[in-house]
mmCIF file of all heavy atoms in Angstrom:
data_model
loop_
_atom_site.group_PDB
_atom_site.id
_atom_site.type_symbol
_atom_site.label_atom_id
_atom_site.label_comp_id
_atom_site.label_asym_id
_atom_site.label_seq_id
_atom_site.Cartn_x
_atom_site.Cartn_y
_atom_site.Cartn_z
ATOM 1 N N GLU A 346 142.557 105.334 78.610
ATOM 2 C CA GLU A 346 141.593 104.451 79.192
ATOM 3 C C GLU A 346 142.212 103.103 79.444
ATOM 4 O O GLU A 346 141.939 102.431 80.438
ATOM 5 C CB GLU A 346 140.344 104.368 78.352
ATOM 6 C CG GLU A 346 139.599 105.674 78.212
ATOM 7 C CD GLU A 346 138.305 105.553 77.402
ATOM 8 O OE1 GLU A 346 138.005 104.408 77.074
ATOM 9 O OE2 GLU A 346 137.630 106.545 77.155
ATOM 10 N N GLU A 347 143.005 102.616 78.517
ATOM 11 C CA GLU A 347 143.570 101.263 78.622
ATOM 12 C C GLU A 347 144.612 101.211 79.734
ATOM 13 O O GLU A 347 144.667 100.261 80.461
ATOM 14 C CB GLU A 347 144.214 100.877 77.282
ATOM 15 C CG GLU A 347 143.143 100.580 76.210
ATOM 16 C CD GLU A 347 143.860 100.204 74.900
ATOM 17 O OE1 GLU A 347 145.130 100.155 74.873
ATOM 18 O OE2 GLU A 347 143.142 99.965 73.912
ATOM 19 N N GLU A 348 145.307 102.403 79.934
ATOM 20 C CA GLU A 348 146.321 102.416 80.996
ATOM 21 C C GLU A 348 145.576 102.445 82.394
ATOM 22 O O GLU A 348 146.155 101.787 83.343
ATOM 23 C CB GLU A 348 147.168 103.672 80.814
ATOM 24 C CG GLU A 348 148.060 103.618 79.589
ATOM 25 C CD GLU A 348 148.868 104.932 79.462
ATOM 26 O OE1 GLU A 348 148.728 105.817 80.335
ATOM 27 O OE2 GLU A 348 149.621 105.019 78.499
ATOM 28 N N ASP A 349 144.557 103.125 82.502
ATOM 29 C CA ASP A 349 143.905 103.302 83.819
ATOM 30 C C ASP A 349 142.687 102.377 83.940
ATOM 31 O O ASP A 349 141.609 102.695 84.501
ATOM 32 C CB ASP A 349 143.357 104.744 84.014
ATOM 33 C CG ASP A 349 144.600 105.691 83.974
ATOM 34 O OD1 ASP A 349 145.699 105.291 84.350
ATOM 35 O OD2 ASP A 349 144.353 106.832 83.617
ATOM 36 N N ARG A 350 142.819 101.194 83.303
ATOM 37 C CA ARG A 350 141.709 100.169 83.346
ATOM 38 C C ARG A 350 141.356 99.849 84.792
ATOM 39 O O ARG A 350 142.206 99.438 85.579
ATOM 40 C CB ARG A 350 142.068 98.953 82.523
ATOM 41 C CG ARG A 350 140.977 97.924 82.449
ATOM 42 C CD ARG A 350 139.849 98.380 81.518
ATOM 43 N NE ARG A 350 140.283 98.449 80.203
ATOM 44 C CZ ARG A 350 139.537 98.967 79.180
ATOM 45 N NH1 ARG A 350 138.316 99.358 79.450
ATOM 46 N NH2 ARG A 350 140.002 99.088 77.935
ATOM 47 N N VAL A 351 140.076 99.833 85.117
ATOM 48 C CA VAL A 351 139.629 99.491 86.475
ATOM 49 C C VAL A 351 138.642 98.352 86.341
ATOM 50 O O VAL A 351 138.068 98.071 85.304
ATOM 51 C CB VAL A 351 138.987 100.706 87.247
ATOM 52 C CG1 VAL A 351 140.041 101.753 87.427
ATOM 53 C CG2 VAL A 351 137.763 101.203 86.458
ATOM 54 N N PHE A 352 138.359 97.722 87.533
ATOM 55 C CA PHE A 352 137.308 96.680 87.533
ATOM 56 C C PHE A 352 136.006 97.276 87.413
ATOM 57 O O PHE A 352 135.553 98.182 88.184
ATOM 58 C CB PHE A 352 137.471 95.930 88.826
ATOM 59 C CG PHE A 352 136.400 94.755 88.936
ATOM 60 C CD1 PHE A 352 136.668 93.562 88.297
ATOM 61 C CD2 PHE A 352 135.237 94.879 89.700
ATOM 62 C CE1 PHE A 352 135.719 92.544 88.321
ATOM 63 C CE2 PHE A 352 134.311 93.926 89.787
ATOM 64 C CZ PHE A 352 134.556 92.647 89.130
ATOM 65 N N GLU A 353 135.206 96.854 86.396
ATOM 66 C CA GLU A 353 133.883 97.395 86.121
ATOM 67 C C GLU A 353 132.806 96.387 86.412
ATOM 68 O O GLU A 353 133.099 95.161 86.538
ATOM 69 C CB GLU A 353 133.800 97.936 84.688
ATOM 70 C CG GLU A 353 134.761 99.079 84.369
ATOM 71 C CD GLU A 353 134.507 99.709 83.035
ATOM 72 O OE1 GLU A 353 133.704 99.171 82.324
ATOM 73 O OE2 GLU A 353 135.024 100.761 82.787
ATOM 74 N N MET A 354 131.583 96.874 86.506
ATOM 75 C CA MET A 354 130.454 95.968 86.836
ATOM 76 C C MET A 354 130.287 94.931 85.764
ATOM 77 O O MET A 354 130.263 95.208 84.560
ATOM 78 C CB MET A 354 129.192 96.788 86.978
ATOM 79 C CG MET A 354 128.026 96.051 87.535
ATOM 80 S SD MET A 354 128.266 95.759 89.350
ATOM 81 C CE MET A 354 128.255 97.367 89.941
ATOM 82 N N PRO A 355 130.197 93.639 86.114
ATOM 83 C CA PRO A 355 129.911 92.580 85.135
ATOM 84 C C PRO A 355 128.607 92.779 84.509
ATOM 85 O O PRO A 355 127.688 93.467 84.993
ATOM 86 C CB PRO A 355 129.970 91.276 85.968
ATOM 87 C CG PRO A 355 130.635 91.677 87.251
ATOM 88 C CD PRO A 355 130.367 93.070 87.541
ATOM 89 N N ARG A 356 128.365 92.165 83.355
ATOM 90 C CA ARG A 356 127.115 92.284 82.723
ATOM 91 C C ARG A 356 126.009 91.613 83.483
ATOM 92 O O ARG A 356 126.243 90.778 84.349
ATOM 93 C CB ARG A 356 127.209 91.613 81.245
ATOM 94 C CG ARG A 356 127.345 90.099 81.322
ATOM 95 C CD ARG A 356 127.346 89.481 79.936
ATOM 96 N NE ARG A 356 127.591 88.037 80.006
ATOM 97 C CZ ARG A 356 126.568 87.163 80.145
ATOM 98 N NH1 ARG A 356 125.324 87.612 80.334
ATOM 99 N NH2 ARG A 356 126.754 85.888 80.156
#
Side-chain angles (χ1 to χ4, degrees):
E346 294 183 6
E347 292 179 0
E348 292 177 0
D349 301 331
R350 181 74 64 185
V351 297
F352 180 79
E353 296 188 352
M354 192 69 64
R356 66 177 181 84

